[in-house]
Amino acid sequence: MAALALQNVYKKYGSVEAITDVSLEVREGEFVVFVGPSGCGKSTLLRMIAGLEDISSGRLMIGAEERTHTDPAKRQIAMVFQSYALYPHLTVRGNLGFALRMAGESKPAIAAKVDPIATMLQLSGLMDRRPSQLSGGQRQRVAIGRALVRSPKVFLFDEPLSNLDAELRVQMRVELAQLHKKIGVTTIYVTHDQVEAMTLADRIVVVRNGRIEQIGAPIELYDNPSNLFVAGFIGSPRINEITATVTGVDESDLLLELPGGARISYPRLELTAVIGDRLTLGVRPEHFIRITGDPQNGVRVNVDYWEHLGGVSYAYGALANGQRIIFEERLFRSPVGDRSLSLEIDISKAFLFDATGRRRR
Ligand code: ADP
């Protein structure tokens, strides 16, 4: 049985359909990340699960129980917001125990629940401070601890790290991952940051325009995107999009012309294409092979900028038709970097998309 399931869920705001026919099963203990661009509907989905928004149609199941219209307080769900929403006049101890005190639990009972959680979150030495006396990361941990003391069945996070500076964000990401390993509570986490999604998720749900585009393990989505949107959203730097014009079709292969004139063969598979069709070849920055001389199965790139990070360098440039290209090279040691590159494409790793963005395989 799934820990949580959405079944054909819709959300309408007046005539605007924010969520369209979303179905999803989250397994017990799983860490699922909803990712997508701003306005795609991720927060709406999370808020419907929490009970902060009505579900227009469809069903929400938590364990075996239908919870579509259940009062938020009775869903056994805890949510951590971007803005933490700690009580400023209460100490860390007061914030952590607040929900239990409201529920009428005794002081010793509250301490028995709060203390181990404070220890786990390394807050024991800060119990008498107020939120204003804490760093951003510590406040974040108090917000998580406050949710944890309620022993939720499902933990929801809405962009919890986006207010933190870059270094702290990386640190908190690691802490969240370790915490999840320790407590194992089923978690749904919303972010627009694909790196957070890749590093935290057991499975990623890619959302666009209120619909699920694809669900899968991070590496599955990276290696096997089902459309150009997912290929473009997952992976940093972004996948390269190269226009490929069909110049020939035989039984097994398509002959494709690339910008600059090189012709490549690509297995035809189930694709029906006619001469003159313009398709998109998706090539990740690490899937080019630099050669000397003219590329036979690739492209020439005019480089305008090199970025040297030490272990890895990125060349930013353009093809003959103006399309932008990013090329990754490991352990590149030329101090300036070349201005013109001849790049063969590793065709076995390249994806072919039709004019609608659907992957052809
Ligand atoms: P995300 O979290 O992915 O940025 P949201 O879930 O906040 O996106 O919003 C999804 C869509 O629903 C957006 O187009 C947004 O404008 C719309 N929306 C969200 N809340 C409301 C509301 N209360 N009334 C009308 N439209 C809303």
Side-chain angles (χ1 to χ4, degrees):
M1 181 182 50
L4 180 144
L6 295 170
Q7 298 171 349
N8 307 104
V9 164
Y10 286 75
K11 176 69 188 178
K12 293 196 175 94
Y13 293 109
S15 60
V16 177
E17 197 166 271
I19 296 297
T20 305
D21 198 16
V22 163
S23 293
L24 168 72
E25 290 199 345
V26 179
R27 296 188 276 268
E28 190 67 51
E30 200 175 17
F31 198 124
V32 167
V33 176
F34 292 170
V35 73
S38 179
C40 71
K42 345 177 257 301
S43 301
T44 301
L45 274 173
L46 203 69
R47 293 169 61 81
M48 286 195 290
I49 294 169
L52 304 173
E53 292 281 357
D54 291 336
I55 294 173
S56 304
S57 69
R59 299 206 310 166
L60 166 69
M61 305 292 293
I62 296 175
E65 311 290 331
E66 181 172 357
R67 294 282 183 236
T68 314
H69 302 293
T70 305
D71 186 69
K74 300 202 175 113
R75 292 187 185 198
Q76 286 185 280
I77 280 180
M79 186 151 166
V80 175
F81 298 91
Q82 191 183 105
S83 61
Y84 318 149
L86 299 178
Y87 299 109
H89 59 288
L90 295 181
T91 60
V92 170
R93 190 189 311 281
N95 269 284
L96 290 175
F98 185 79
L100 303 177
R101 220 165 38 251
M102 288 297 105
E105 297 205 21
S106 70
K107 258 195 171 168
I110 294 173
K113 281 188 188 158
V114 163
D115 290 348
I117 285 169
T119 305
M120 182 169 70
L121 293 169
Q122 294 167 0
L123 292 168
S124 305
L126 308 170
M127 295 299 261
D128 296 319
R129 291 201 196 174
R130 294 186 200 286
S132 62
Q133 298 166 307
L134 300 175
S135 71
Q138 290 163 341
R139 280 180 216 170
Q140 174 77 76
R141 279 191 242 134
V142 177
I144 292 170
R146 193 178 54 175
L148 271 181
V149 297
R150 297 169 51 205
S151 311
K153 280 198 173 146
V154 182
F155 223 146
L156 306 180
F157 288 94
D158 191 1
E159 306 244 11
L161 306 185
S162 50
N163 286 342
L164 306 177
D165 67 44
E167 200 179 328
L168 191 53
R169 213 156 53 218
V170 174
Q171 188 191 326
M172 288 305 295
R173 209 167 69 203
V174 174
E175 281 189 22
L176 275 178
Q178 289 171 336
L179 181 69
H180 180 256
K181 235 192 211 134
K182 236 186 270 176
I183 60 175
V185 177
T186 309
T187 299
I188 303 177
Y189 184 104
V190 160
T191 180
H192 63 273
D193 179 344
Q194 65 91 26
V195 176
E196 263 176 42
M198 290 295 282
T199 51
L200 285 170
D202 292 319
R203 283 192 305 157
I204 296 177
V205 178
V206 181
V207 183
R208 175 168 64 157
N209 291 337
R211 293 172 189 271
I212 294 179
E213 289 282 320
Q214 193 172 355
I215 305 175
I219 295 302
E220 233 169 87
L221 297 193
Y222 189 84
D223 288 344
N224 221 345
S226 59
N227 57 52
L228 189 52
F229 179 81
V230 174
F233 202 83
I234 302 292
S236 174
R238 202 185 145 83
I239 197 167
N240 295 290
E241 294 177 29
I242 301 174
T243 298
T245 309
V246 178
T247 57
V249 182
D250 69 24
E251 243 164 51
S252 61
D253 286 327
L254 293 173
L255 200 61
L256 301 171
E257 186 174 308
L258 303 181
R263 294 192 169 198
I264 61 167
S265 284
Y266 194 95
R268 201 178 121 193
L269 310 172
E270 30 96 63
L271 182 65
T272 41
V274 296
I275 289 173
D277 279 356
R278 286 156 76 89
L279 308 174
T280 298
L281 200 63
V283 184
R284 298 221 181 263
E286 68 273 28
H287 293 152
F288 293 108
I289 304 137
R290 195 201 309 210
I291 56 158
T292 48
D294 284 332
Q296 299 302 303
N297 289 298
V299 287
R300 279 201 90 78
V301 179
N302 282 317
V303 177
D304 36 58
Y305 176 59
W306 276 92
E307 202 172 60
H308 298 295
L309 302 180
V312 64
S313 296
Y314 295 106
Y316 295 79
L319 302 180
N321 67 351
Q323 276 177 317
R324 299 295 301 169
I325 292 293
I326 303 175
F327 160 64
E328 176 186 310
E329 185 149 308
R330 301 244 141 220
L331 298 173
F332 184 57
R333 282 294 173 264
S334 152
V336 265
D338 302 322
R339 292 288 138 202
S340 174
L341 298 176
S342 197
L343 301 179
E344 294 281 311
I345 294 169
D346 181 349
I347 298 293
S348 69
K349 302 267 173 58
F351 310 126
L352 193 61
F353 302 98
D354 66 17
T356 68
R358 237 168 45 120
R359 166 99 177 276
R360 298 307 191 150
R361 26 181 157 196

